[in-house]
Amino acid sequence: MSKFSKKKKGMPAINTASLPDIVFMLLFFFMVATTMRETSVMVKQQLPTATEVKKLEDKRLISTIYVGEAEDQKKYGEGDKIQLNDKIADVSQVRNFIFSQREPIPEDERDYMTTLIKADIKSNVGTINDIKKELREINALKVTYSTNIGVEK
Amino acid sequence: MARRDTPEINAGSMADIAFLLLIFFLVTTTMDVDAGISRRLPEKQPIDAPPPPVIKMKNVFEVIINRNDELLIEGEYHEIKDIKQMAIDFIDNGGGKGNPMPNEVDGKECTWCKGAKDEASSDHPNKAVISLKSDRSTSYGTFIKVQNELGKAYTTLRNRLAKELYGTTYTEMVDDLSKDKGNATLKDKIDKIKSMYPEIISEAETN
């Protein structure tokens, strides 16, 4: 027998102990940096882009109305549809929707409530105006037209 | 005493579990920040409300968008890129006396305006109304583009004024305020500039 024993065959096991750490780091990053998706959007959404935008901070005070063509056109038909919560709804239901959103907010913060209109770039201004008319009726006057944040050219 | 090695714990599945959680969060959360153009709707008027004060036509900057997304500004056909400069010229004209500022009785002339002081254009930034009329079938994209251009016009004017008064732009001041919410002096400065160039945009619908 020689003094030098033959090397063991095959690759040595790679130490993967740090792999969970890395993945956990990623996980924590995502937990902190993101927010939960609350509704699944059932209308087509391609938002317009604008530069003069204001970021909305307090999610609690925002009620979102989605406008656009339905993804499932066989069921809902063509044309602009309005989505409140998880349902395709009619303009006349906007009122009750805002009231239900207003309910849990304390009295002194209700003035800061904003209605975020997320409308598809191709939808008609008429639909938006119908919504605005409803909002005026119930004194929900703060409106934000949702857009993507563009870069100044 | 004999030294006993603690047996190595197999942590191979830990990564799998962490990945599972990670993928769950990737799927159920969104990263997008809600942002947009904020406007305040006019209040609903009671039926017996007194008729609104008459606004002189020279104080109204009329932008009409038709169903083919074409623009009519002050009665003439224009393109979207023209709006900003036209709006700036109109707001900044300062051809006469404005509405009285808070704590004042009489309206004063706009001393910070650098416009042409044209008799036929607006009197004062706080009298200058931008009226945006759109057809029912105007596309929302165009509507937002126009709104954005009008917003740009106001921001340009406010930036200029802020540079003169405080040596920094209005946009920077607003950014600083969002980082430091309790800064009262900064907020006062911003409010002052806002009151000197108030954003008055009326959105109406034509059929």
Side-chain angles (χ1 to χ4, degrees):
Chain A
M1 272 299 267
S2 70
K3 225 179 172 185
F4 305 99
S5 60
K6 240 183 169 181
K7 259 192 182 168
K8 229 167 112 191
K9 261 188 187 162
M11 293 265 285
I14 297 162
N15 187 4
T16 57
S18 53
L19 190 64
D21 300 1
I22 296 165
V23 179
F24 266 117
M25 216 162 71
L26 276 170
L27 175 64
F28 289 143
F29 169 74
F30 272 95
M31 282 172 78
V32 172
T34 61
T35 48
M36 277 284 177
R37 237 186 264 265
E38 266 158 26
T39 46
S40 50
V41 184
M42 293 153 79
V43 291
K44 279 182 192 150
Q45 289 269 286
Q46 197 208 333
L47 297 178
T49 308
T51 52
E52 303 299 309
V53 295
K54 218 175 96 186
K55 280 182 192 165
L56 297 171
E57 308 276 337
D58 203 339
K59 295 247 174 209
R60 241 166 13 100
L61 300 173
I62 298 170
S63 6
T64 313
I65 298 175
Y66 299 91
V67 180
E69 282 197 337
E71 295 275 9
D72 187 357
Q73 296 214 349
K74 272 183 198 135
K75 193 172 167 195
Y76 298 107
E78 281 176 31
D80 293 341
K81 297 282 175 253
I82 297 167
Q83 185 190 343
L84 307 168
N85 286 330
D86 269 329
K87 280 194 280 300
I88 300 274
D90 196 65
V91 194
S92 57
Q93 283 163 284
V94 169
R95 266 172 220 230
N96 285 333
F97 170 72
I98 298 292
F99 282 135
S100 69
Q101 296 275 314
R102 217 183 254 176
E103 202 57 46
I105 307 290
E107 204 87 32
D108 56 331
E109 282 179 275
R110 285 189 187 168
D111 285 348
Y112 299 106
M113 284 190 69
T114 306
T115 313
L116 184 68
I117 300 179
K118 277 198 175 177
D120 188 81
I121 196 160
K122 289 201 196 82
S123 53
N124 289 345
V125 174
T127 321
I128 316 285
N129 277 334
D130 291 344
I131 296 172
K132 288 201 301 204
K133 218 175 272 172
E134 285 294 305
L135 294 176
R136 269 188 77 183
E137 291 287 325
I138 55 167
N139 235 17
L141 299 176
K142 277 184 89 173
V143 169
T144 299
Y145 305 114
S146 179
T147 59
N148 291 325
I149 305 169
V151 195
E152 191 84 43
K153 266 171 252 164
Chain B
M1 208 175 117
R3 242 186 66 196
R4 270 215 324 230
D5 281 335
T6 37
E8 202 174 307
I9 298 161
N10 186 4
S13 53
M14 183 128 97
D16 300 0
I17 296 165
F19 263 121
L20 215 78
L21 278 169
L22 176 65
I23 289 162
F24 170 74
F25 268 91
L26 277 172
V27 170
T28 57
T29 61
T30 52
M31 236 175 155
D32 51 333
V33 186
D34 280 330
I37 299 173
S38 289
R39 290 280 178 270
R40 205 180 163 78
L41 299 177
E43 262 167 58
K44 193 185 168 228
Q45 298 295 328
I47 303 165
D48 54 348
V54 182
I55 302 170
K56 274 191 229 156
M57 274 322 284
K58 68 172 194 163
N59 280 324
V60 179
F61 182 75
E62 201 178 34
V63 182
I64 301 171
I65 320 173
N66 77 358
R67 60 179 62 219
N68 301 322
D69 294 344
E70 289 160 344
L71 286 172
L72 203 66
I73 306 173
E74 295 279 64
E76 281 169 52
Y77 175 82
H78 283 280
E79 282 179 52
I80 286 181
K81 62 176 168 50
D82 303 333
I83 301 176
K84 185 181 154 194
Q85 195 50 47
M86 289 183 79
I88 288 176
D89 291 344
F90 166 76
I91 303 159
D92 202 33
N93 180 54
K97 288 197 166 90
N99 290 329
M101 300 280 257
N103 314 323
E104 282 173 23
V105 188
D106 290 322
K108 290 213 178 83
E109 279 175 32
C110 176
T111 48
W112 56 89
C113 292
K114 295 208 169 42
K117 310 237 183 290
D118 183 357
E119 285 287 313
S121 190
S122 82
D123 284 331
H124 192 279
N126 69 15
K127 271 190 178 175
V129 179
I130 292 181
S131 153
L132 176 59
K133 288 184 183 154
S134 50
D135 189 86
R136 266 198 88 79
S137 355
T138 301
S139 91
Y140 181 66
T142 314
F143 178 73
I144 289 295
K145 259 189 221 155
V146 172
Q147 290 267 19
N148 192 38
E149 291 298 314
L150 295 174
K152 268 189 206 165
Y154 278 107
T155 311
T156 313
L157 288 171
R158 285 172 176 178
N159 275 344
R160 198 189 68 195
L161 183 65
K163 256 231 145 87
E164 274 170 26
L165 292 179
Y166 308 115
T168 142
T169 64
Y170 175 77
T171 326
E172 275 168 12
M173 282 161 74
V174 173
D175 280 349
D176 288 346
L177 188 73
S178 68
K179 280 175 205 139
D180 178 16
K181 288 248 160 56
N183 195 335
T185 46
L186 190 62
K187 195 168 185 312
D188 285 347
K189 282 181 185 175
I190 289 175
D191 286 345
K192 190 178 171 199
I193 289 173
K194 268 191 188 165
S195 74
M196 287 164 98
Y197 281 121
E199 207 171 74
I200 315 169
I201 298 177
S202 123
E203 297 160 18
E205 183 194 332
T206 56
N207 283 308

